[in-house]
Amino acid sequence: MLPQPAGAAHEPNRDRPGSWSPARWAYSFYAVAATGAVIGQSWVALDHMPWPAHMPVWTRVLLVLPFAICLELLAMVLAAMADERMRLGEHAYGFRVFSAIVAVVAVGIQIAGHWPDLYWSSVFGLLSSSAYLLWLLHAAARRRDALRASGKLRDTAPDYGIWRRIRHPVWTARAAELAREGRTDDTGQWRPLKLYESLRAAELMLGDEKRRPAIAHAVKRVVRTDQRDPYMADVAVSTLDVDRLAEELAARVDYKSWADRLTPAITPPTVPSTRAGTHHNSAPPDADPKTEEPGSPEAESALPDQANDPESDRRPEACTTEEPDEDDDAALSEDLVPLLPAARAARDQLVETGRTVSRDALAQQMRGNGYAIRNNRVSELLIALRREANTGSGDHLKAPA
């Protein structure tokens, strides 16, 4: 436990003036139990000692009473002396052993002296033993309070519950240790950690203990790599505080940049929205053009190549592109914008080779150029190319002479 700052030590509430504590009842019990034990000791002495017949009873009582009081109170006096030495940090084995021997003898005299009367043996034996044991417990509690207030004994930990201690023994043990260690707040006063504060602090500390060895090992490797002389590398590794350096590196990590870098990995791909007027066929997008319905983009792509048509030489290639029935004013999907230059290049290659700029031909040419794309997505690219040709925004849409 860390030493508490000045002013942090305090006595328990029961030691403060005006505060009520059930421990005050112990003094009343001591008086009653000690009186009963002295009566029992005197009774035993009066019954078992050979008194002269002419000696009055009150004289016999006055003679045995000091010895009975001394026998009953000697055990508690020795226990009090042992408690005083233990508050100073000593073990006080001599006082403690002597006190225990006297207590055993006193209780034994009470039980054996009143035997075979079971009631009186039990009553006086219980009064003598319970008074001594209560004295020991009360003195030990006060001693712990004094040691804790002076910073010589650790503080008590919060109650984490038996179920949490069974499930997470290491975590709760570390949390209890941190709670007793405490911390200094903003006002400079020391205070112990509360339940959930200690659990959170223990969780962070256990995580650091798992990460720091790996960081420290990497730091050692870097230091040894930079030093060509193995002896100097050993000196550098021994001199550097690897744990402190690892903590400094962990504090400089730019988590925002790492989050920006990893965001695309957890972001789902953009799904193109369905536009009004788009025809959806029951056949899959990559189906054979021969099986498509007449009038659909797939059926138009299956028409004979216009390169063999004599009329194709008298019209520009941009006007021979076969398109599905799409809205010319529809916007291109965001995920297809990066593929638009590749579509222009594939369109130019088709024009240079004299082939028809159809959907399937464009898709096949783009796949040959290394772009994986589905046929139904090529239709959107064709619409964008046609829109560029109509508006005159693209020079690539003009057919060569």
Side-chain angles (χ1 to χ4, degrees):
M1 175 181 178
L2 294 178
Q4 302 177 7
H10 61 276
E11 292 291 334
N13 292 334
R14 58 174 173 271
D15 293 336
R16 295 177 180 176
S19 62
W20 178 87
S21 173
R24 295 183 176 182
W25 291 355
Y27 299 104
S28 301
F29 177 80
Y30 293 149
V32 175
T35 303
V38 170
I39 293 174
Q41 292 288 349
S42 302
W43 191 344
V44 172
L46 292 175
D47 288 344
H48 292 82
M49 291 186 66
W51 300 102
H54 62 277
M55 183 177 291
V57 177
W58 62 271
T59 304
R60 300 178 184 180
V61 172
L62 290 178
L63 291 176
V64 301
L65 187 60
F67 298 99
I69 295 176
C70 178
L71 184 61
E72 287 296 331
L73 297 183
L74 179 60
M76 288 189 289
V77 171
L78 292 172
M81 297 177 66
D83 178 71
E84 182 181 7
R85 305 312 301 175
M86 292 173 67
R87 291 192 182 195
L88 299 176
E90 301 179 5
H91 296 288
Y93 291 125
F95 289 105
R96 295 160 66 184
V97 173
F98 191 13
S99 175
I101 292 175
V102 174
V104 170
V105 172
V107 175
I109 291 175
Q110 294 279 13
I111 295 176
H114 294 281
W115 195 264
D117 193 339
L118 183 60
Y119 176 76
W120 293 116
S121 298
S122 303
V123 169
F124 289 112
L126 183 61
L127 285 175
S128 182
S129 60
S130 60
Y132 177 72
L133 293 177
L134 180 59
W135 176 268
L136 292 180
L137 294 175
H138 190 191
R142 292 174 61 87
R143 181 177 66 253
R144 289 194 300 271
D145 293 340
L147 293 176
R148 187 176 294 113
S150 61
K152 296 181 180 180
L153 186 67
R154 64 183 185 180
D155 200 358
T156 56
D159 183 14
Y160 298 99
I162 186 63
W163 180 242
R164 182 183 282 111
R165 290 186 177 274
I166 294 176
R167 292 183 59 191
H168 310 285
V170 178
W171 182 25
T172 50
R174 183 62 61 84
E177 180 181 354
L178 294 176
R180 289 189 292 264
E181 181 179 346
R183 67 179 179 87
T184 303
D185 56 13
D186 298 336
T187 60
Q189 296 293 329
W190 176 91
R191 70 173 183 85
L193 295 181
K194 298 180 181 179
L195 174 63
Y196 294 104
E197 288 179 340
S198 60
L199 289 174
R200 177 58 179 169
E203 183 180 6
L204 295 177
M205 180 172 289
L206 292 176
D208 292 341
E209 291 180 355
K210 292 181 180 180
R211 289 190 297 267
R212 285 189 180 179
I215 300 176
H217 180 69
V219 170
K220 290 180 180 179
R221 292 186 58 182
V222 172
V223 172
R224 293 185 182 276
T225 303
D226 293 342
Q227 295 291 338
R228 298 181 180 180
D229 188 357
Y231 177 76
M232 295 302 297
D234 294 337
V235 172
V237 171
S238 302
T239 305
L240 289 175
D241 188 352
V242 180
D243 294 335
R244 179 179 176 182
L245 188 56
E247 183 178 358
E248 185 68 21
L249 289 174
R252 295 187 180 185
V253 174
D254 189 356
Y255 287 98
K256 185 178 182 303
S257 299
W258 276 106
D260 295 340
R261 174 65 178 83
L262 297 176
T263 298
I266 61 174
T267 303
T270 304
V271 179
S273 58
T274 304
R275 294 184 297 273
T278 303
H279 299 282
H280 297 278
N281 298 323
S282 59
D286 296 333
D288 189 358
K290 298 179 180 180
T291 61
E292 300 297 333
E293 297 179 1
S296 64
E298 290 78 8
E300 293 178 3
S301 62
L303 294 176
D305 193 353
Q306 294 183 6
N308 300 325
D309 189 359
E311 298 295 332
S312 61
D313 295 334
R314 295 191 297 270
R315 58 185 177 183
E317 289 292 334
C319 299
T320 62
T321 56
E322 301 175 5
E323 306 293 340
D325 295 336
E326 294 285 351
D327 187 5
D328 292 345
D329 296 331
L332 185 65
S333 302
E334 295 182 359
D335 58 335
L336 293 179
V337 172
L339 296 178
L340 191 56
R344 293 192 187 102
R347 187 269 323 276
D348 293 342
Q349 293 176 1
L350 293 176
V351 173
E352 291 177 358
T353 57
R355 290 184 293 171
T356 304
V357 185
S358 62
R359 190 199 66 170
D360 290 352
L362 185 62
Q364 182 180 4
Q365 185 63 38
M366 291 184 64
R367 294 191 190 105
N369 294 341
Y371 296 89
I373 187 171
R374 302 173 65 89
N375 290 8
N376 59 341
R377 307 309 305 276
V378 176
S379 300
E380 301 181 36
L381 292 175
L382 282 175
I383 295 174
L385 294 177
R386 183 178 63 181
R387 185 164 55 250
E388 290 180 355
N390 294 335
T391 57
S393 59
D395 298 333
H396 296 284
L397 296 174
K398 298 178 181 180

